[in-house]
């Protein structure tokens, strides 16, 4: 008999198995045995899903070639599930925790108590990068791990700042490790995967999809106690991350931008709504130390 963890990883690997469906499976059978011993008709009836979807799920989890590929992934990458003791406690506390995380690099970084999520626009202004240096480098030297999404712009710059200043950083991807996205800085991914930490809730062979990135953002905010927004437009993935951070009960900081700049409007909006305005690194550090 397979363990619950093995069952979970196999089911999670099936593209037809969503997080809501996995939750339903756990409610029916906490050991997740029934999908491996039931007929398609039984699966369809128990989960209230169309028969073709049930057939696809069973084909996937019983296909020896697919399982062989999954075994290769598990040999190459570390895998932690929601039921493991090593699962990040802060991430476990969010409303929609990922069931499975794939990791490459140094998983010890997930235990760092000082961690700050950094998000922002893919098209930063010339103003933002020097400002990021003045705020983030002192925090890096203090021992903060920077968590971001390796996207172009602010995300990649935050990762580079941590690496260049002997700090630590975690990248959260919206794709599997065999399909790195974006592709503009593969050298950064390779360095992070060897010397820092890269994580993804998507199996290594899963390509990036548009809807993955809002899903990925809840992990970025969920891994830390606070999210720092550098520059953001009014309608942006950064503000989605802010909404998720607030839903998770986490703090939100924002750097004010230049008046009239579209990339400043998002930060100004959330500052007006209560996000803490950040002039210098002390605004984050002193607030953090007060809560210890």
């Amino acid at each position: 008999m397979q363990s619950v963890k093995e069952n979970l990883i196999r089911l999670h690997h099936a593209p037809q198995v969503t997080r809501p469906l996995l939750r339903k499976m756990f409610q029916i059978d906490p050991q997740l045995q029934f999908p491996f011993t039931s007929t398609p008709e039984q699966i369809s009836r128990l989960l209230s899903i169309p028969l073709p979807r049930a057939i696809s799920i069973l084909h996937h989890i019983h296909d020896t070639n697919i399982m062989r590929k999954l075994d290769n992934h598990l040999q190459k990458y570390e895998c932690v599930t929601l039921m493991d003791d090593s699962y990040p406690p802060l991430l476990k506390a969010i409303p929609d925790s990922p069931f499975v995380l794939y990791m490459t690099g140094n998983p010890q970084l997930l235990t760092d108590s000082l961690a700050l999520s950094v998000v922002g626009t893919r098209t930063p202004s010339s103003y933002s990068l020097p400002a990021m240096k003045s705020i983030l480098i002192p925090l890096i030297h203090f021992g903060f791990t920077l968590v971001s999404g390796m996207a172009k712009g602010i995300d990649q710059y935050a990762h580079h700042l941590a690496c260049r200043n002997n700090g630590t950083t975690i990248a959260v991807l919206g794709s599997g490790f065999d399909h790195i996205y974006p592709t503009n800085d593969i050298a950064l991914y390779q360095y992070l995967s060897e010397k820092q930490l890269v994580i993804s809730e998507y199996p290594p062979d899963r390509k990036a999809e548009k809807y993955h990135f809002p899903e990925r953002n809840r992990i970025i905010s969920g891994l830390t106690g606070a999210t720092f927004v550098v520059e953001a437009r009014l309608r942006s993935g950064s503000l989605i991350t802010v909404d998720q951070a607030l839903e998770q009960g986490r703090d939100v900081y924002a750097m004010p931008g230049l008046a009239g700049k579209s990339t400043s409007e998002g930060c100004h909006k959330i500052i007006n709504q209560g996000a803490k305005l950040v002039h210098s690194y002390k605004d984050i550090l002193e607030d953090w130390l007060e809560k210890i």
Side-chain angles (χ1 to χ4, degrees):
M1 183 180 292
Q2 295 173 166
S3 69
V4 184
K5 179 174 180 176
E6 290 172 326
N7 291 341
L8 173 56
I9 292 172
R10 287 178 69 173
L11 288 165
H12 175 268
H13 189 271
Q16 306 85 358
V17 178
T18 61
R19 291 195 310 280
L21 194 63
L22 265 176
R23 279 193 291 272
K24 196 169 187 178
M25 289 179 177
F26 268 114
Q27 290 170 357
I28 294 171
D29 176 11
Q31 300 301 311
L32 295 179
Q33 292 290 337
F34 80 93
F36 299 91
T37 58
S38 302
T39 66
E41 290 76 14
Q42 290 170 326
I43 295 291
S44 176
R45 185 176 64 255
L46 281 168
L47 297 176
S48 301
I49 60 175
L51 182 58
R53 184 178 179 187
I55 292 172
S56 295
I57 291 171
L58 292 190
H59 170 75
H60 191 98
I61 64 175
H62 290 297
D63 187 307
T64 55
N65 291 327
I66 292 175
M67 290 306 105
R68 192 176 299 114
K69 179 171 69 172
L70 177 56
D71 288 340
N72 289 334
H73 290 161
L74 296 177
Q75 290 175 17
K76 186 175 181 181
Y77 304 109
E78 187 158 347
C79 184
V80 61
T81 70
L82 192 56
M83 60 197 62
D84 292 327
D85 293 338
S86 56
Y87 192 93
L90 278 175
L91 193 59
K92 185 176 286 190
I94 72 172
D96 188 16
S97 305
F99 284 100
V100 176
L101 292 173
Y102 292 90
M103 300 183 289
T104 178
N106 179 10
Q108 289 301 311
L109 296 187
L110 288 174
T111 64
D112 289 351
S113 58
L114 283 175
L116 179 71
S117 299
V118 181
V119 298
T121 180
R122 288 172 170 77
T123 56
S125 68
S126 57
Y127 156 81
S128 68
L129 302 185
M132 281 182 72
K133 282 186 175 181
S134 68
I135 294 168
L136 292 179
I137 290 178
L139 295 178
I140 293 167
H141 289 163
F142 190 83
F144 277 82
T145 293
L146 303 186
V147 179
S148 198
M150 216 183 77
K152 292 180 182 179
I154 297 300
D155 289 23
Q156 290 182 357
Y157 197 71
H159 293 308
H160 279 294
L161 274 180
C163 296
R164 292 167 182 167
N165 288 277
N166 298 314
T168 51
T169 185
I170 299 171
V172 185
L173 301 188
S175 64
F177 297 140
D178 295 343
H179 300 279
I180 300 304
Y181 183 87
T183 59
N184 71 305
D185 198 346
I186 295 298
L188 173 62
Y189 165 75
Q190 292 171 338
Y191 183 84
L192 296 180
S193 67
E194 294 172 5
K195 304 295 184 181
Q196 302 287 342
L197 180 64
V198 185
I199 68 176
S200 175
E201 72 174 315
Y202 304 104
D205 60 352
R206 198 68 51 85
K207 293 182 179 180
E209 300 287 352
K210 189 174 182 179
Y211 69 88
H212 286 177
F213 296 97
E215 292 183 338
R216 178 273 310 268
N217 291 350
R218 84 190 193 288
I219 301 176
I220 294 174
S221 58
L223 282 170
T224 69
T227 293
F228 175 42
V229 188
V230 176
E231 275 191 323
R233 301 177 190 273
L234 283 175
R235 299 183 64 180
S236 65
S238 299
L239 295 198
I240 293 174
T241 309
V242 167
D243 289 340
Q244 291 168 334
L246 294 173
E247 181 184 353
Q248 294 162 357
R250 310 298 163 85
D251 294 328
V252 175
Y253 301 96
M255 187 178 79
L258 298 173
K261 284 277 188 181
S262 61
T263 51
S264 301
E265 292 175 347
C267 286
H268 293 170
K269 176 184 177 181
I270 62 175
I271 289 169
N272 286 336
Q273 293 175 336
K276 183 165 183 178
L277 187 151
V278 176
H279 280 297
S280 79
Y281 74 94
K282 294 180 181 178
D283 295 312
I284 294 176
L285 183 58
E286 291 174 357
D287 197 35
W288 202 285
L289 292 175
E290 286 178 3
K291 295 174 183 176
I292 296 178

